[in-house]
Protein backbone atom coordinates (compact mmCIF):
# COMPACT_ATOMS: atom_id res chain seq x y z
CA UNK A 1 0.00 0.00 0.00
CA UNK A 2 1.55 3.26 -1.18
CA UNK A 3 0.92 6.79 0.03
CA UNK A 4 4.11 8.83 0.29
CA UNK A 5 2.17 11.93 -0.78
CA UNK A 6 0.01 12.25 2.36
CA UNK A 7 1.43 14.40 5.15
CA UNK A 8 -1.44 16.57 6.39
CA UNK A 9 -5.08 17.49 5.86
CA UNK A 10 -7.70 15.22 4.33
CA UNK A 11 -5.19 12.93 2.59
CA UNK A 12 -3.50 12.19 5.91
CA UNK A 13 -6.88 11.58 7.58
CA UNK A 14 -7.74 9.03 4.88
CA UNK A 15 -4.37 7.28 5.28
CA UNK A 16 -4.77 7.22 9.07
CA UNK A 17 -8.18 5.61 8.73
CA UNK A 18 -6.79 2.96 6.34
CA UNK A 19 -3.99 2.21 8.80
CA UNK A 20 -6.39 1.93 11.75
CA UNK A 21 -8.58 -0.46 9.77
CA UNK A 22 -5.62 -2.62 8.72
CA UNK A 23 -4.43 -2.91 12.32
CA UNK A 24 -7.92 -3.60 13.68
CA UNK A 25 -8.98 -6.23 11.14
CA UNK A 26 -5.84 -8.42 11.40
CA UNK A 27 -6.04 -9.66 7.81
CA UNK A 28 -4.12 -12.85 6.96
CA UNK A 29 -0.71 -12.23 5.39
CA UNK A 30 1.55 -9.24 5.62
CA UNK A 31 0.60 -5.74 4.47
CA UNK A 32 3.40 -3.31 3.65
CA UNK A 33 2.48 0.35 4.14
CA UNK A 34 4.82 2.74 2.36
CA UNK A 35 4.56 6.36 3.49
CA UNK A 36 6.64 9.46 4.24
CA UNK A 37 5.94 10.41 7.86
CA UNK A 38 6.79 8.82 11.19
CA UNK A 39 3.20 8.66 12.40
CA UNK A 40 2.65 4.91 11.95
CA UNK A 41 4.29 1.91 13.59
CA UNK A 42 4.72 -1.63 12.41
CA UNK A 43 2.52 -4.34 13.90
CA UNK A 44 2.29 -8.09 13.47
CA UNK A 45 0.13 -7.69 10.37
CA UNK A 46 1.32 -4.32 9.03
CA UNK A 47 4.94 -3.58 8.14
CA UNK A 48 5.56 0.17 7.86
CA UNK A 49 8.21 1.40 5.44
CA UNK A 50 9.08 5.08 5.78
CA UNK A 51 10.61 7.05 2.91
CA UNK A 52 10.68 10.79 3.50
CA UNK A 53 13.02 11.77 0.66
CA UNK A 54 10.33 11.65 -2.07
CA UNK A 55 8.78 14.70 -0.37
CA UNK A 56 11.83 16.90 -1.06
CA UNK A 57 10.76 17.92 -4.55
CA UNK A 58 9.03 16.60 -7.65
CA UNK A 59 12.24 15.10 -9.08
CA UNK A 60 12.72 12.91 -6.00
CA UNK A 61 9.02 11.98 -6.09
CA UNK A 62 9.25 11.00 -9.75
CA UNK A 63 12.34 8.88 -9.08
CA UNK A 64 10.55 7.12 -6.23
CA UNK A 65 7.42 6.41 -8.28
CA UNK A 66 9.28 5.18 -11.36
CA UNK A 67 12.09 3.18 -9.78
CA UNK A 68 11.90 2.74 -6.00
CA UNK A 69 8.22 1.77 -5.77
CA UNK A 70 8.40 -0.99 -8.43
CA UNK A 71 11.59 -2.29 -6.79
CA UNK A 72 9.86 -2.48 -3.38
CA UNK A 73 7.03 -4.47 -4.92
CA UNK A 74 9.54 -6.94 -6.32
CA UNK A 75 11.56 -7.22 -3.11
CA UNK A 76 8.49 -7.77 -0.91
CA UNK A 77 6.95 -10.17 -3.46
CA UNK A 78 3.65 -8.32 -3.17
CA UNK A 79 0.71 -10.05 -4.79
CA UNK A 80 -1.46 -6.93 -5.06
CA UNK A 81 -0.75 -3.21 -5.07
CA UNK A 82 -2.91 -0.51 -3.49
CA UNK A 83 -2.13 3.11 -4.30
CA UNK A 84 -3.80 5.83 -2.27
CA UNK A 85 -2.14 8.67 -4.18
CA UNK A 86 -4.12 9.04 -7.44
CA UNK A 87 -1.49 7.29 -9.61
CA UNK A 88 -0.80 3.62 -10.19
CA UNK A 89 2.67 2.18 -9.57
CA UNK A 90 4.17 1.53 -13.02
CA UNK A 91 6.05 -1.50 -14.31
CA UNK A 92 4.75 -4.02 -11.78
CA UNK A 93 2.58 -6.49 -13.69
CA UNK A 94 0.50 -6.82 -10.51
CA UNK A 95 -3.25 -6.19 -10.12
CA UNK A 96 -3.75 -2.75 -8.65
CA UNK A 97 -6.41 -0.92 -6.68
CA UNK A 98 -6.28 2.85 -6.97
CA UNK A 99 -7.82 5.51 -4.73
CA UNK A 100 -8.47 8.71 -6.67
CA UNK A 101 -9.15 11.57 -4.28
CA UNK A 102 -8.14 14.58 -6.34
CA UNK A 103 -11.02 16.16 -8.25
CA UNK A 104 -8.74 18.47 -10.26
CA UNK A 105 -8.89 16.54 -13.58
CA UNK A 106 -12.68 16.30 -13.32
CA UNK A 107 -13.89 19.81 -12.43
CA UNK A 108 -14.81 22.68 -14.73
CA UNK A 109 -12.73 25.21 -12.78
CA UNK A 110 -9.37 25.84 -14.46
CA UNK A 111 -6.38 27.38 -12.70
CA UNK A 112 -3.84 29.66 -14.35
CA UNK A 113 -0.13 28.97 -13.89
CA UNK A 114 0.49 32.39 -12.34
CA UNK A 115 -2.40 31.95 -9.91
CA UNK A 116 -1.62 28.42 -8.73
CA UNK A 117 1.35 26.68 -10.41
CA UNK A 118 0.90 23.35 -8.63
CA UNK A 119 -2.81 23.14 -9.51
CA UNK A 120 -1.98 24.05 -13.11
CA UNK A 121 0.53 21.17 -13.19
CA UNK A 122 -2.07 18.77 -11.79
CA UNK A 123 -4.65 19.77 -14.39
CA UNK A 124 -2.35 20.00 -17.43
CA UNK A 125 0.43 17.48 -16.77
CA UNK A 126 -0.67 15.05 -14.06
CA UNK A 127 -4.26 14.65 -15.27
CA UNK A 128 -3.35 12.45 -18.28
CA UNK A 129 -1.33 10.17 -15.98
CA UNK A 130 -4.24 9.92 -13.55
CA UNK A 131 -6.66 9.08 -16.37
CA UNK A 132 -4.22 6.46 -17.69
CA UNK A 133 -3.94 4.93 -14.22
CA UNK A 134 -7.71 4.65 -13.89
CA UNK A 135 -7.99 2.90 -17.27
CA UNK A 136 -5.28 0.36 -16.39
CA UNK A 137 -6.10 -0.46 -12.76
CA UNK A 138 -8.27 -3.43 -11.91
CA UNK A 139 -10.29 -1.34 -9.46
CA UNK A 140 -10.56 2.40 -8.87
CA UNK A 141 -12.10 3.73 -5.66
CA UNK A 142 -13.65 7.18 -5.40
CA UNK A 143 -15.43 8.76 -2.46
CA UNK A 144 -18.62 10.20 -3.99
CA UNK A 145 -21.18 9.40 -6.67
CA UNK A 146 -20.55 12.66 -8.53
CA UNK A 147 -16.86 11.73 -8.72
CA UNK A 148 -17.66 8.26 -10.08
CA UNK A 149 -19.83 9.75 -12.81
CA UNK A 150 -17.10 12.25 -13.72
CA UNK A 151 -14.40 9.55 -13.79
CA UNK A 152 -16.46 7.27 -16.03
CA UNK A 153 -17.27 10.16 -18.37
CA UNK A 154 -13.62 11.23 -18.72
CA UNK A 155 -11.96 7.83 -18.93
CA UNK A 156 -14.46 5.48 -20.55
CA UNK A 157 -13.46 2.86 -17.97
CA UNK A 158 -15.83 -0.08 -17.41
CA UNK A 159 -18.49 0.92 -14.90
CA UNK A 160 -17.78 -2.10 -12.70
CA UNK A 161 -14.15 -1.01 -12.32
CA UNK A 162 -15.03 2.22 -10.49
CA UNK A 163 -16.60 1.93 -7.05
CA UNK A 164 -17.75 4.47 -4.48
CA UNK A 165 -16.45 3.99 -0.93
CA UNK A 166 -17.02 7.10 1.21
CA UNK A 167 -14.53 7.83 3.98
CA UNK A 168 -15.72 6.79 7.42
CA UNK A 169 -15.42 8.81 10.60
CA UNK A 170 -15.68 6.57 13.68
CA UNK A 171 -18.66 7.64 15.76
CA UNK A 172 -16.54 7.57 18.90
CA UNK A 173 -14.65 10.58 17.58
CA UNK A 174 -17.71 12.77 17.30
CA UNK A 175 -20.52 11.44 19.45
CA UNK A 176 -21.25 12.75 22.89
CA UNK A 177 -20.03 16.28 22.20
CA UNK A 178 -21.86 19.52 22.71
CA UNK A 179 -23.12 20.36 19.22
CA UNK A 180 -25.24 23.30 20.23
CA UNK A 181 -24.47 26.79 18.96
CA UNK A 182 -24.55 29.57 21.56
CA UNK A 183 -27.32 32.09 21.08
CA UNK A 184 -24.67 34.80 21.36
CA UNK A 185 -21.04 35.00 20.24
CA UNK A 186 -21.08 32.14 17.72
CA UNK A 187 -17.77 30.78 16.44
CA UNK A 188 -17.42 29.97 12.74
CA UNK A 189 -14.71 27.37 12.22
CA UNK A 190 -12.98 26.55 8.94
CA UNK A 191 -10.36 23.76 9.10
CA UNK A 192 -8.55 23.93 5.76
CA UNK A 193 -5.15 24.38 4.17
CA UNK A 194 -4.08 27.47 2.25
CA UNK A 195 -4.81 26.14 -1.27
CA UNK A 196 -6.50 28.83 -3.36
CA UNK A 197 -9.71 26.86 -3.96
CA UNK A 198 -10.26 26.58 -0.21
CA UNK A 199 -11.60 30.10 -0.70
CA UNK A 200 -10.56 31.81 2.55
CA UNK A 201 -10.80 35.15 0.77
CA UNK A 202 -14.57 34.74 0.46
CA UNK A 203 -14.89 34.37 4.23
CA UNK A 204 -12.77 37.45 4.86
CA UNK A 205 -14.90 39.47 2.42
CA UNK A 206 -18.12 38.21 4.04
CA UNK A 207 -16.83 39.20 7.49
CA UNK A 208 -15.95 42.66 6.15
CA UNK A 209 -19.54 43.05 4.97
CA UNK A 210 -20.90 41.85 8.31
CA UNK A 211 -18.76 44.44 10.06
CA UNK A 212 -20.04 47.14 7.69
CA UNK A 213 -23.57 46.09 8.65
CA UNK A 214 -22.67 46.71 12.29
CA UNK A 215 -22.79 43.04 13.32
CA UNK A 216 -20.36 41.89 15.98
CA UNK A 217 -20.11 39.34 18.78
CA UNK A 218 -18.83 36.48 16.62
CA UNK A 219 -15.47 34.91 15.80
CA UNK A 220 -14.04 33.16 12.75
CA UNK A 221 -11.20 30.66 13.17
CA UNK A 222 -8.87 29.56 10.35
CA UNK A 223 -6.38 26.71 10.79
CA UNK A 224 -3.72 28.88 9.14
CA UNK A 225 -0.77 30.71 10.65
CA UNK A 226 -1.10 33.58 8.20
CA UNK A 227 2.37 32.98 6.76
CA UNK A 228 1.68 30.12 4.35
CA UNK A 229 1.87 32.18 1.15
CA UNK A 230 1.88 35.77 -0.05
CA UNK A 231 -1.85 35.44 -0.68
CA UNK A 232 -2.54 34.32 2.90
CA UNK A 233 -0.14 36.92 4.32
CA UNK A 234 -2.17 39.58 2.54
CA UNK A 235 -5.44 38.14 3.85
CA UNK A 236 -4.15 38.21 7.42
CA UNK A 237 -2.81 41.75 6.99
CA UNK A 238 -6.21 42.82 5.66
CA UNK A 239 -7.99 41.10 8.57
CA UNK A 240 -5.77 42.84 11.12
CA UNK A 241 -5.88 46.27 9.47
CA UNK A 242 -9.70 46.21 9.54
CA UNK A 243 -9.82 44.63 13.04
CA UNK A 244 -11.90 41.75 11.73
CA UNK A 245 -12.79 39.04 14.28
CA UNK A 246 -10.73 36.40 12.47
CA UNK A 247 -8.19 34.27 14.32
CA UNK A 248 -5.34 32.49 12.54
CA UNK A 249 -4.54 29.64 14.95
CA UNK A 250 -2.34 27.38 12.82
CA UNK A 251 -2.67 23.67 12.24
CA UNK A 252 -4.50 21.42 14.68
CA UNK A 253 -4.42 17.71 15.37
CA UNK A 254 -7.43 15.82 14.10
CA UNK A 255 -8.81 15.42 17.62
CA UNK A 256 -8.39 19.14 18.29
CA UNK A 257 -10.17 19.99 15.05
CA UNK A 258 -13.02 17.59 15.83
CA UNK A 259 -13.42 19.13 19.26
CA UNK A 260 -13.52 22.63 17.77
CA UNK A 261 -16.02 21.51 15.10
CA UNK A 262 -18.33 20.18 17.80
CA UNK A 263 -18.42 23.58 19.52
CA UNK A 264 -18.72 25.77 16.43
CA UNK A 265 -20.57 26.45 13.22
CA UNK A 266 -18.63 24.76 10.43
CA UNK A 267 -18.19 27.10 7.48
CA UNK A 268 -16.99 25.38 4.30
CA UNK A 269 -16.53 27.68 1.26
CA UNK A 270 -14.22 25.39 -0.75
CA UNK A 271 -15.27 25.06 -4.39
CA UNK A 272 -13.07 22.11 -5.44
CA UNK A 273 -13.45 18.93 -3.40
CA UNK A 274 -13.98 15.24 -3.92
CA UNK A 275 -15.75 14.81 -0.60
CA UNK A 276 -15.01 17.45 2.02
CA UNK A 277 -14.27 15.37 5.14
CA UNK A 278 -15.05 18.14 7.67
CA UNK A 279 -18.63 18.13 6.35
CA UNK A 280 -19.06 14.50 7.38
CA UNK A 281 -17.31 15.09 10.71
CA UNK A 282 -19.58 18.05 11.51
CA UNK A 283 -22.65 16.12 10.39
CA UNK A 284 -21.82 13.22 12.71
CA UNK A 285 -21.30 15.67 15.55
CA UNK A 286 -24.74 17.17 14.87
CA UNK A 287 -23.35 20.64 14.21
CA UNK A 288 -24.73 23.53 12.21
CA UNK A 289 -23.02 23.71 8.81
CA UNK A 290 -22.68 26.46 6.23
CA UNK A 291 -21.58 24.71 3.05
CA UNK A 292 -20.83 25.66 -0.50
CA UNK A 293 -23.74 24.90 -2.82
CA UNK A 294 -22.00 22.35 -5.02
CA UNK A 295 -22.67 18.66 -5.78
CA UNK A 296 -20.06 17.24 -3.39
CA UNK A 297 -21.50 19.13 -0.41
CA UNK A 298 -25.12 18.37 -1.32
CA UNK A 299 -24.22 14.67 -1.59
CA UNK A 300 -22.34 14.46 1.72
CA UNK A 301 -25.05 16.41 3.55
CA UNK A 302 -28.09 14.88 1.84
CA UNK A 303 -30.94 14.62 4.34
CA UNK A 304 -29.10 16.53 7.06
CA UNK A 305 -31.38 19.17 8.57
CA UNK A 306 -28.72 21.44 10.07
CA UNK A 307 -27.10 22.48 6.78
CA UNK A 308 -27.37 25.79 4.96
CA UNK A 309 -25.90 26.43 1.51
CA UNK A 310 -24.36 29.46 -0.15
CA UNK A 311 -22.86 30.47 -3.49
CA UNK A 312 -19.07 29.88 -3.23
CA UNK A 313 -18.41 32.87 -5.49
CA UNK A 314 -20.66 35.36 -3.67
CA UNK A 315 -19.51 36.91 -0.40
CA UNK A 316 -23.00 38.39 0.02
CA UNK A 317 -24.49 34.89 -0.06
CA UNK A 318 -22.20 33.70 2.74
CA UNK A 319 -22.69 36.98 4.62
CA UNK A 320 -26.45 36.46 4.69
CA UNK A 321 -26.13 32.93 6.05
CA UNK A 322 -23.69 34.04 8.75
CA UNK A 323 -25.89 37.03 9.64
CA UNK A 324 -28.88 34.74 10.17
CA UNK A 325 -26.88 32.77 12.74
CA UNK A 326 -25.42 35.83 14.47
CA UNK A 327 -28.88 37.38 14.77
CA UNK A 328 -30.49 34.12 15.87
CA UNK A 329 -32.72 33.92 12.77
CA UNK A 330 -31.38 30.64 11.43
CA UNK A 331 -34.09 27.99 11.00
CA UNK A 332 -32.38 25.19 9.14
CA UNK A 333 -34.62 22.73 7.31
CA UNK A 334 -32.10 21.08 5.03
CA UNK A 335 -33.63 22.63 1.91
CA UNK A 336 -32.53 26.24 2.17
CA UNK A 337 -29.71 27.34 -0.10
CA UNK A 338 -28.71 29.07 -3.29
CA UNK A 339 -30.23 26.42 -5.55
CA UNK A 340 -33.40 26.00 -3.51
Amino acid sequence: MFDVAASHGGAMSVLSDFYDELVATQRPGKVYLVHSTGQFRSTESVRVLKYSWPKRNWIFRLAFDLFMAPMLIGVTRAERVVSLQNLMVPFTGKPQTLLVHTPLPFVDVRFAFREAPLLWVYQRIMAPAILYSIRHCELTIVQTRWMREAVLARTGAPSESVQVIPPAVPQTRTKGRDSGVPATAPTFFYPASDVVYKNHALVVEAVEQLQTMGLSGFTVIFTLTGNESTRIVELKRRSESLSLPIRYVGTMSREEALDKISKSVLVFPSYVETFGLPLLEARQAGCLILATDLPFAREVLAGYERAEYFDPFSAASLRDRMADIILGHCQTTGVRGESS
Side-chain angles (χ1 to χ4, degrees):
M1 180 176 290
F2 287 86
D3 198 351
V4 295
S7 58
H8 63 277
M12 194 62 182
S13 296
V14 170
L15 177 58
S16 296
D17 289 341
F18 267 98
Y19 172 80
D20 290 344
E21 182 180 351
L22 288 172
V23 172
T25 53
Q26 294 288 322
R27 287 181 171 85
K30 178 74 72 174
V31 176
Y32 291 87
L33 173 61
V34 184
H35 76 120
S36 60
T37 74
Q39 179 170 329
F40 309 108
R41 295 184 178 181
S42 295
T43 67
E44 290 186 6
S45 59
V46 180
R47 174 77 182 278
V48 176
L49 305 177
K50 177 189 173 184
Y51 293 90
S52 58
W53 58 266
K55 299 287 288 184
R56 295 180 188 174
N57 58 48
W58 67 269
I59 296 177
F60 283 90
R61 172 64 189 278
L62 187 63
F64 182 88
D65 288 350
L66 292 179
F67 303 108
M68 189 67 182
M71 187 190 74
L72 285 173
I73 292 169
V75 169
T76 59
R77 298 181 181 179
E79 298 177 357
R80 172 174 288 275
V81 178
V82 178
S83 172
L84 305 181
Q85 50 192 22
N86 301 303
L87 294 168
M88 67 185 297
V89 180
F91 319 127
T92 68
K94 303 292 183 180
Q96 295 197 35
T97 296
L98 176 68
L99 173 65
V100 176
H101 49 82
T102 177
L104 289 169
F106 309 103
V107 296
D108 295 331
V109 179
R110 286 291 177 263
F111 296 95
F113 182 82
R114 291 183 62 183
E115 174 192 26
L118 182 59
L119 302 184
W120 183 91
V121 168
Y122 254 94
Q123 291 192 316
R124 301 299 180 91
I125 298 176
M126 297 299 295
I130 293 172
L131 300 180
Y132 177 89
S133 295
I134 293 170
R135 294 187 185 104
H136 290 83
C137 280
E138 184 178 86
L139 175 64
T140 297
I141 298 171
V142 295
Q143 297 174 320
T144 47
R145 293 188 302 275
W146 84 262
M147 185 76 169
R148 180 177 185 272
E149 293 170 1
V151 165
L152 292 174
R154 283 293 307 275
T155 65
S159 60
E160 65 273 12
S161 71
V162 182
Q163 295 184 11
V164 178
I165 303 179
V169 177
Q171 292 288 342
T172 54
R173 290 181 176 171
T174 54
K175 70 180 182 180
R177 302 173 187 265
D178 179 13
S179 59
V181 178
T184 59
T187 296
F188 298 91
F189 181 49
Y190 185 28
S193 66
D194 65 313
V195 184
V196 63
Y197 59 71
K198 296 297 184 179
N199 213 10
H200 291 87
L202 186 86
V203 182
V204 174
E205 187 176 349
V207 173
E208 280 187 54
Q209 295 181 14
L210 289 168
Q211 185 170 264
T212 301
M213 294 168 59
L215 294 182
S216 59
F218 67 95
T219 303
V220 173
I221 296 178
F222 291 156
T223 54
L224 302 172
T225 64
N227 299 316
E228 286 81 358
S229 65
T230 55
R231 177 175 45 82
I232 297 300
V233 167
E234 173 57 25
L235 274 183
K236 185 177 182 182
R237 186 205 63 77
R238 183 171 153 197
S239 302
E240 291 175 343
S241 66
L242 296 173
S243 299
L244 300 179
I246 300 176
R247 294 171 52 204
Y248 294 73
V249 301
T251 57
M252 293 182 173
S253 70
R254 194 174 185 187
E255 281 301 318
E256 290 172 332
L258 287 171
D259 184 64
K260 182 61 70 175
I261 284 174
S262 71
K263 299 173 182 176
S264 310
V265 179
L266 178 71
V267 59
F268 203 81
S270 177
Y271 54 86
V272 175
E273 297 285 343
T274 299
F275 189 90
L277 190 59
L279 297 174
L280 177 60
E281 292 168 337
R283 174 177 182 153
Q284 291 191 182
C287 301
L288 187 60
I289 301 171
L290 301 183
T292 185
D293 195 3
L294 290 171
F296 75 86
R298 288 281 184 176
E299 182 174 338
V300 174
L301 298 173
Y304 185 59
E305 295 185 351
R306 304 200 71 198
E308 299 264 346
Y309 301 91
F310 60 89
D311 182 346
F313 304 106
S314 168
S317 176
L318 175 57
R319 175 204 66 202
D320 292 344
R321 297 291 180 259
M322 293 176 72
D324 285 343
I325 294 171
I326 296 166
L327 296 171
H329 298 162
C330 182
Q331 298 293 330
T332 52
T333 64
V335 297
R336 185 177 175 188
E338 289 303 305
S339 65
S340 299

